[in-house]
mmCIF file of all heavy atoms in Angstrom:
data_model
loop_
_atom_site.group_PDB
_atom_site.id
_atom_site.type_symbol
_atom_site.label_atom_id
_atom_site.label_comp_id
_atom_site.label_asym_id
_atom_site.label_seq_id
_atom_site.Cartn_x
_atom_site.Cartn_y
_atom_site.Cartn_z
ATOM 1 N N CYS A 339 -7.825 0.128 -18.621
ATOM 2 C CA CYS A 339 -8.188 -1.087 -19.355
ATOM 3 C C CYS A 339 -8.067 -2.324 -18.462
ATOM 4 O O CYS A 339 -8.962 -3.190 -18.460
ATOM 5 C CB CYS A 339 -7.293 -1.231 -20.587
ATOM 6 S SG CYS A 339 -7.596 -2.707 -21.575
ATOM 7 N N GLY A 340 -6.989 -2.410 -17.707
ATOM 8 C CA GLY A 340 -6.733 -3.580 -16.871
ATOM 9 C C GLY A 340 -7.824 -3.874 -15.855
ATOM 10 O O GLY A 340 -8.327 -4.998 -15.790
ATOM 11 N N PRO A 341 -8.221 -2.895 -15.022
ATOM 12 C CA PRO A 341 -9.284 -3.161 -14.046
ATOM 13 C C PRO A 341 -10.607 -3.577 -14.676
ATOM 14 O O PRO A 341 -11.302 -4.453 -14.153
ATOM 15 C CB PRO A 341 -9.426 -1.814 -13.322
ATOM 16 C CG PRO A 341 -8.097 -1.180 -13.461
ATOM 17 C CD PRO A 341 -7.605 -1.582 -14.815
ATOM 18 N N ALA A 342 -10.969 -2.955 -15.810
ATOM 19 C CA ALA A 342 -12.219 -3.324 -16.487
ATOM 20 C C ALA A 342 -12.158 -4.757 -16.981
ATOM 21 O O ALA A 342 -13.126 -5.529 -16.852
ATOM 22 C CB ALA A 342 -12.487 -2.366 -17.646
ATOM 23 N N ASN A 343 -11.006 -5.140 -17.523
ATOM 24 C CA ASN A 343 -10.832 -6.507 -18.010
ATOM 25 C C ASN A 343 -10.823 -7.511 -16.863
ATOM 26 O O ASN A 343 -11.397 -8.601 -16.958
ATOM 27 C CB ASN A 343 -9.525 -6.591 -18.808
ATOM 28 C CG ASN A 343 -9.350 -7.907 -19.533
ATOM 29 O OD1 ASN A 343 -8.317 -8.562 -19.444
ATOM 30 N ND2 ASN A 343 -10.361 -8.329 -20.273
ATOM 31 N N LEU A 344 -10.190 -7.124 -15.734
ATOM 32 C CA LEU A 344 -10.159 -7.995 -14.558
ATOM 33 C C LEU A 344 -11.560 -8.167 -13.978
ATOM 34 O O LEU A 344 -11.931 -9.264 -13.544
ATOM 35 C CB LEU A 344 -9.210 -7.415 -13.508
ATOM 36 C CG LEU A 344 -9.014 -8.257 -12.244
ATOM 37 C CD1 LEU A 344 -8.381 -9.602 -12.571
ATOM 38 C CD2 LEU A 344 -8.164 -7.502 -11.219
ATOM 39 N N PHE A 345 -12.342 -7.083 -13.969
ATOM 40 C CA PHE A 345 -13.724 -7.148 -13.492
ATOM 41 C C PHE A 345 -14.521 -8.163 -14.314
ATOM 42 O O PHE A 345 -15.273 -8.973 -13.762
ATOM 43 C CB PHE A 345 -14.363 -5.762 -13.593
ATOM 44 C CG PHE A 345 -15.829 -5.736 -13.277
ATOM 45 C CD1 PHE A 345 -16.285 -5.959 -11.985
ATOM 46 C CD2 PHE A 345 -16.763 -5.480 -14.266
ATOM 47 C CE1 PHE A 345 -17.633 -5.927 -11.683
ATOM 48 C CE2 PHE A 345 -18.120 -5.442 -13.984
ATOM 49 C CZ PHE A 345 -18.557 -5.670 -12.694
ATOM 50 N N LYS A 346 -14.342 -8.141 -15.617
ATOM 51 C CA LYS A 346 -15.050 -9.084 -16.481
ATOM 52 C C LYS A 346 -14.632 -10.524 -16.184
ATOM 53 O O LYS A 346 -15.469 -11.431 -16.153
ATOM 54 C CB LYS A 346 -14.769 -8.757 -17.946
ATOM 55 C CG LYS A 346 -15.440 -9.703 -18.934
ATOM 56 C CD LYS A 346 -15.124 -9.331 -20.372
ATOM 57 C CE LYS A 346 -15.812 -10.297 -21.327
ATOM 58 N NZ LYS A 346 -15.534 -9.954 -22.748
ATOM 59 N N LYS A 347 -13.336 -10.734 -15.935
ATOM 60 C CA LYS A 347 -12.827 -12.089 -15.725
ATOM 61 C C LYS A 347 -13.173 -12.643 -14.345
ATOM 62 O O LYS A 347 -13.334 -13.857 -14.172
ATOM 63 C CB LYS A 347 -11.303 -12.113 -15.911
ATOM 64 C CG LYS A 347 -10.830 -11.867 -17.339
ATOM 65 C CD LYS A 347 -9.321 -11.873 -17.406
ATOM 66 C CE LYS A 347 -8.798 -11.522 -18.789
ATOM 67 N NZ LYS A 347 -9.193 -12.455 -19.843
ATOM 68 N N MET A 348 -13.291 -11.751 -13.338
ATOM 69 C CA MET A 348 -13.417 -12.229 -11.959
ATOM 70 C C MET A 348 -14.785 -12.017 -11.324
ATOM 71 O O MET A 348 -15.002 -12.454 -10.190
ATOM 72 C CB MET A 348 -12.353 -11.557 -11.080
ATOM 73 C CG MET A 348 -10.930 -11.982 -11.361
ATOM 74 S SD MET A 348 -9.838 -11.651 -9.963
ATOM 75 C CE MET A 348 -10.423 -12.832 -8.755
ATOM 76 N N ALA A 349 -15.705 -11.357 -12.013
ATOM 77 C CA ALA A 349 -16.996 -11.017 -11.401
ATOM 78 C C ALA A 349 -17.705 -12.244 -10.835
ATOM 79 O O ALA A 349 -18.138 -12.257 -9.678
ATOM 80 C CB ALA A 349 -17.888 -10.303 -12.421
ATOM 81 N N MET A 350 -17.836 -13.299 -11.636
ATOM 82 C CA MET A 350 -18.547 -14.493 -11.182
ATOM 83 C C MET A 350 -17.767 -15.230 -10.097
ATOM 84 O O MET A 350 -18.358 -15.825 -9.192
ATOM 85 C CB MET A 350 -18.838 -15.420 -12.363
ATOM 86 C CG MET A 350 -19.836 -14.854 -13.355
ATOM 87 S SD MET A 350 -21.329 -14.186 -12.557
ATOM 88 C CE MET A 350 -21.973 -15.645 -11.737
ATOM 89 N N GLU A 351 -16.437 -15.209 -10.184
ATOM 90 C CA GLU A 351 -15.614 -15.844 -9.146
ATOM 91 C C GLU A 351 -15.833 -15.160 -7.804
ATOM 92 O O GLU A 351 -15.907 -15.825 -6.762
ATOM 93 C CB GLU A 351 -14.135 -15.769 -9.545
ATOM 94 C CG GLU A 351 -13.193 -16.429 -8.550
ATOM 95 C CD GLU A 351 -11.738 -16.315 -8.948
ATOM 96 O OE1 GLU A 351 -11.454 -15.996 -10.119
ATOM 97 O OE2 GLU A 351 -10.878 -16.531 -8.068
ATOM 98 N N ILE A 352 -15.965 -13.839 -7.826
ATOM 99 C CA ILE A 352 -16.228 -13.095 -6.593
ATOM 100 C C ILE A 352 -17.611 -13.431 -6.055
ATOM 101 O O ILE A 352 -17.793 -13.640 -4.847
ATOM 102 C CB ILE A 352 -16.095 -11.580 -6.848
ATOM 103 C CG1 ILE A 352 -14.656 -11.232 -7.237
ATOM 104 C CG2 ILE A 352 -16.514 -10.783 -5.610
ATOM 105 C CD1 ILE A 352 -14.472 -9.811 -7.746
ATOM 106 N N VAL A 353 -18.603 -13.489 -6.930
ATOM 107 C CA VAL A 353 -19.981 -13.792 -6.516
ATOM 108 C C VAL A 353 -20.065 -15.169 -5.874
ATOM 109 O O VAL A 353 -20.738 -15.363 -4.852
ATOM 110 C CB VAL A 353 -20.935 -13.710 -7.728
ATOM 111 C CG1 VAL A 353 -22.317 -14.257 -7.370
ATOM 112 C CG2 VAL A 353 -21.048 -12.269 -8.215
ATOM 113 N N ARG A 354 -19.357 -16.151 -6.441
ATOM 114 C CA ARG A 354 -19.447 -17.543 -5.957
ATOM 115 C C ARG A 354 -18.577 -17.801 -4.736
ATOM 116 O O ARG A 354 -18.682 -18.861 -4.118
ATOM 117 C CB ARG A 354 -19.061 -18.510 -7.077
ATOM 118 C CG ARG A 354 -20.083 -18.577 -8.211
ATOM 119 C CD ARG A 354 -19.782 -19.756 -9.130
ATOM 120 N NE ARG A 354 -18.537 -19.564 -9.846
ATOM 121 C CZ ARG A 354 -18.460 -19.115 -11.107
ATOM 122 N NH1 ARG A 354 -19.565 -18.787 -11.763
ATOM 123 N NH2 ARG A 354 -17.300 -18.970 -11.699
ATOM 124 N N ASN A 355 -17.710 -16.864 -4.376
ATOM 125 C CA ASN A 355 -16.786 -17.087 -3.267
ATOM 126 C C ASN A 355 -17.532 -17.286 -1.944
ATOM 127 O O ASN A 355 -18.506 -16.593 -1.654
ATOM 128 C CB ASN A 355 -15.836 -15.885 -3.140
ATOM 129 C CG ASN A 355 -14.796 -16.073 -2.059
ATOM 130 O OD1 ASN A 355 -15.024 -15.729 -0.914
ATOM 131 N ND2 ASN A 355 -13.665 -16.652 -2.418
ATOM 132 N N LYS A 356 -17.064 -18.240 -1.129
ATOM 133 C CA LYS A 356 -17.715 -18.566 0.144
ATOM 134 C C LYS A 356 -16.900 -18.138 1.367
ATOM 135 O O LYS A 356 -17.380 -18.218 2.493
ATOM 136 C CB LYS A 356 -17.953 -20.084 0.225
ATOM 137 C CG LYS A 356 -18.767 -20.660 -0.931
ATOM 138 C CD LYS A 356 -20.194 -20.133 -0.938
ATOM 139 C CE LYS A 356 -21.013 -20.786 -2.056
ATOM 140 N NZ LYS A 356 -22.385 -20.239 -2.118
ATOM 141 N N LYS A 357 -15.657 -17.672 1.148
ATOM 142 C CA LYS A 357 -14.778 -17.396 2.281
ATOM 143 C C LYS A 357 -14.914 -15.987 2.843
ATOM 144 O O LYS A 357 -14.456 -15.727 3.959
ATOM 145 C CB LYS A 357 -13.315 -17.647 1.876
ATOM 146 C CG LYS A 357 -12.994 -19.115 1.652
ATOM 147 C CD LYS A 357 -11.502 -19.316 1.450
ATOM 148 C CE LYS A 357 -11.144 -20.787 1.314
ATOM 149 N NZ LYS A 357 -9.685 -20.997 1.150
ATOM 150 N N VAL A 358 -15.491 -15.072 2.084
ATOM 151 C CA VAL A 358 -15.610 -13.701 2.568
ATOM 152 C C VAL A 358 -17.085 -13.344 2.719
ATOM 153 O O VAL A 358 -17.961 -13.965 2.116
ATOM 154 C CB VAL A 358 -14.912 -12.689 1.618
ATOM 155 C CG1 VAL A 358 -13.427 -12.963 1.564
ATOM 156 C CG2 VAL A 358 -15.515 -12.745 0.223
ATOM 157 N N SER A 359 -17.365 -12.319 3.491
ATOM 158 C CA SER A 359 -18.747 -11.920 3.793
ATOM 159 C C SER A 359 -19.419 -11.299 2.572
ATOM 160 O O SER A 359 -18.742 -10.747 1.688
ATOM 161 C CB SER A 359 -18.755 -10.924 4.943
ATOM 162 O OG SER A 359 -18.150 -9.704 4.535
#
Side-chain angles (χ1 to χ4, degrees):
C339 179
N343 189 230
L344 183 63
F345 173 69
K346 179 180 180 179
K347 292 178 185 298
M348 291 201 69
M350 293 312 299
E351 181 181 344
I352 296 170
V353 170
R354 290 192 293 261
N355 183 271
K356 304 295 183 183
K357 291 188 176 181
V358 297
S359 67

